[in-house]
Amino acid sequence: MKLNTTITWTLLIVLTIASALVSKMDSTYVVLIILLFSSVKFLGIAFQFMELKKAHVFWKGMIIGFLMIFVSTLLLILG
Amino acid sequence: MKTVIINYKNIYYPPGGILIWIIIFLELITFSAALLAMAYYGNQELELFHNSSLKLNKTFGMLNTIFLLTSGFFMAISVAELKKSDKEKFKKYLILTLFFGILFLGLKSFEYYEKIIDGFGISYNIFFTFYWMLTLFHVIHVIVGLVILTSVYIGIRKENSNTSLEDVEASAGFWHMCDLIWLLLFPVIYLLF
């Protein structure tokens, strides 16, 4: 538990710093990369820190579904 | 402390309890709707949003993300220690959770102070209206979370504590919700425009 949580935390910190660095780049894929990193972080918190990995598949599906709807709508709006 | 074995695989008993998860989803839907509205207006006025976004301190945003994630990390470890019935370690990690939460509030306050001094108030333009509304609403959640965790800490210190593991898990769920909301706010407000 502790090892998995520590690995997740390290990944979250690395992705946070990477997001800030990527945002300074001049590329058409910046938005996509930032949202991808944020999605991984979001799921890391939900599944590892909040222990959703132990929950019924309904709750796992709900959080993944929410994230997919939010990110795809955001991408649709931003074009 | 009362300990009850909970089968998390049961649809009605997600970790932290069903009520906290209903709150979490309602909060996520509310914040995401506001963020999508912000993205919509941002797409209408790209230059204004881009120039306004440049006025935000991205380093502060990144540091605050690190503070919240670290706080969430200690929260997760403290709950794990409580499940092993190690109350001393639970209290130690809970203090660290509170410490990083307070660091978040401290840096956020300094950021707000800078914005007010520079004249970028809530009515400066539509970008800053969204910035203030969304981040302040989030800050209120962080403050409520800190109050809940402090009450858990005080409760668990008592010799004959009636705080159950489920109470602690629900409180932890609320605290992690603050992380989840921030992970939606940070990229949209600070990085995307």
Side-chain angles (χ1 to χ4, degrees):
Chain A
M1 165 71 189
K2 204 168 179 176
L3 180 68
N4 285 343
T5 311
T6 308
I7 292 168
T8 307
W9 174 76
T10 311
L11 180 72
L12 293 172
I13 300 298
V14 169
L15 288 176
T16 301
I17 296 166
S19 298
L21 294 175
V22 166
S23 72
K24 289 175 184 164
M25 283 166 52
D26 195 21
S27 164
T28 44
Y29 298 109
V30 166
V31 173
L32 207 63
I33 296 168
I34 289 171
L35 288 178
L36 180 72
F37 285 176
S38 296
S39 301
V40 173
K41 284 156 65 182
F42 187 93
L43 293 176
I45 298 254
F47 278 77
Q48 192 62 41
F49 288 4
M50 300 173 95
E51 297 189 295
L52 212 56
K53 62 181 179 180
K54 295 178 186 171
H56 189 275
V57 70
F58 169 79
W59 297 103
K60 295 175 189 172
M62 282 285 283
I63 204 83
I64 293 170
F66 162 80
L67 188 64
M68 283 174 71
I69 291 169
F70 175 72
V71 171
S72 52
T73 313
L74 196 61
L75 285 171
L76 214 65
I77 291 170
L78 294 173
Chain B
M1 196 192 77
K2 287 186 276 181
T3 46
V4 182
I5 296 167
I6 303 163
N7 176 18
Y8 295 131
K9 286 290 176 197
N10 185 322
I11 192 167
Y12 300 111
Y13 296 97
I18 195 165
L19 285 178
I20 194 69
W21 277 99
I22 290 170
I23 292 171
I24 289 170
F25 277 106
L26 287 174
E27 294 279 1
L28 287 176
I29 290 165
T30 308
F31 272 95
S32 60
L35 283 170
L36 291 175
M38 184 183 185
Y40 174 78
Y41 284 109
N43 209 29
Q44 308 284 311
E45 298 182 72
L46 272 175
E47 204 178 321
L48 183 141
F49 270 64
H50 176 67
N51 291 334
S52 301
S53 171
L54 291 176
K55 292 181 176 80
L56 296 182
N57 192 326
K58 287 182 173 57
T59 310
F60 282 179
M62 188 185 72
L63 277 175
N64 260 340
T65 309
I66 291 170
F67 289 157
L68 266 192
L69 292 175
T70 308
S71 181
F73 165 70
F74 284 122
M75 185 76 251
I77 290 184
S78 69
V79 172
E81 292 297 344
L82 192 65
K83 282 179 181 171
K84 288 190 273 181
S85 302
D86 193 337
K87 271 174 75 171
E88 286 311 307
K89 278 191 177 172
F90 166 76
K91 284 191 282 183
K92 189 179 84 179
Y93 287 125
L94 191 59
I95 287 287
L96 285 168
T97 306
L98 291 166
F99 173 71
F100 279 97
I102 291 165
L103 274 186
F104 173 87
L105 285 184
L107 187 57
K108 200 83 206 132
S109 306
F110 183 69
E111 192 184 339
Y112 283 157
Y113 172 76
E114 270 195 345
K115 291 289 154 287
I116 291 166
I117 291 293
D118 294 341
F120 303 126
I122 195 163
S123 54
Y124 182 74
N125 64 25
I126 191 163
F127 176 88
F128 278 99
T129 305
F130 275 111
Y131 165 80
W132 281 99
M133 292 293 283
L134 287 166
T135 58
L136 267 177
F137 196 34
H138 176 259
V139 160
I140 291 167
H141 284 75
V142 173
I143 293 168
V144 171
L146 285 174
V147 171
I148 293 170
L149 293 183
T150 306
S151 74
V152 166
Y153 180 79
I154 293 166
I156 215 95
R157 277 178 63 192
K158 291 176 188 165
E159 272 303 310
N160 297 315
S161 171
N162 59 359
T163 309
S164 70
L165 178 62
E166 205 176 8
D167 295 336
V168 177
E169 279 189 323
S171 308
F174 187 91
W175 189 246
H176 290 307
M177 180 190 76
C178 296
D179 291 3
L180 290 183
I181 293 169
W182 182 254
L183 288 181
L184 299 180
L185 296 186
F186 174 62
V188 177
I189 296 176
Y190 286 83
L191 305 178
L192 287 187
F193 295 105

